[in-house]
Amino acid sequence: MQPATTIPQYLQETYWWAYVHPRAVRLFERQWLVNLILWGNFAKLRDAALASLGEALPGRTLQVACVYGDFTPRVAERVADGGSLDVVDVLPIQLANLRRKLAADAPVRLHRADASDLPFPDATHDRVVLFFLLHEMPLEVRRRTLAEAMRVVKPSGEVVIVDYHRPARWHPLRPVMKLVLARLEPFATDLWAHEVREWLPALPEGAIAKKTFWGGLYQRLVIRA
């Protein structure tokens, strides 16, 4: 693991109840609960991310931030012989929780580091995945995190993002989600008001493939470096 890293203030103030406190980890590390939070869409969104990453993952794969549920073990299962999966998180408690979920021989390396300041040289990873991370970040942290993801991915690689998205006006849960996100996840409404491409470095036309799910409440982006 990397040397000690300061836990960002926004994370301590806004998400102590979800990620920082030990009771939070014990509460939320339940597959059924993660699925419930996503209105029964966890498996669909997980599999959408996995499909974009590929059936076999040669070389180096980077996951930015730990995830409740079985997302990371499923990614690790796809790592090809000789390949590796790096997982970065700023919270030691999240890294420890992830380690408990992984097989002893899983080709996974855990790194304590801030997503907005990744501990890797330029162009070191074949693919990078951010699964429900951006909505938890203030704007400037989100910009730096995306810039870092694009920095460490190889020119021929891809960055895969799955996160919230503005739902269609007819979506029956639109008013409910707007209230829930505003109260519990105050940075998430940015993803309703803006496209992720607005926070990315300049990219050529056609570099981003976007797909929405479940009436537009969720999105998957595949960014070709």
Side-chain angles (χ1 to χ4, degrees), residues 55-61 75-85 105-107 109 126-127:
E55 289 294 327
L57 305 180
R60 297 185 68 181
T61 302
V75 177
E77 289 173 356
R78 296 187 175 213
V79 174
D81 290 344
S84 64
L85 170 62
D105 60 348
R109 295 187 290 250
D126 297 276
R127 62 200 67 82

Side-chain angles (χ1 to χ4, degrees), residues 188-204:
T189 53
D190 287 352
L191 292 168
W192 285 35
H194 301 274
E195 293 287 338
V196 172
R197 67 166 54 248
E198 297 177 35
W199 305 314
L200 285 162
L203 292 169

Side-chain angles (χ1 to χ4, degrees), residues 60-132:
R60 297 185 68 181
T61 302
L62 172 62
Q63 178 185 320
V64 184
C66 296
V67 178
Y68 288 131
D70 67 354
F71 179 76
T72 309
R74 292 295 188 98
V75 177
E77 289 173 356
R78 296 187 175 213
V79 174
D81 290 344
S84 64
L85 170 62
D86 293 303
V87 182
V88 167
D89 202 291
V90 75
L91 293 173
I93 193 171
Q94 288 295 327
L95 292 168
N97 181 59
L98 174 57
R99 175 55 69 192
R100 289 190 291 269
K101 295 191 291 182
L102 295 171
D105 60 348
V108 181
R109 295 187 290 250
L110 305 184
H111 308 261
R112 188 183 177 197
D114 194 303
S116 64
D117 186 19
L118 295 174
F120 307 110
D122 297 354
T124 51
H125 287 77
D126 297 276
R127 62 200 67 82
V128 179
V129 58
L130 296 85
F131 191 82
F132 281 93

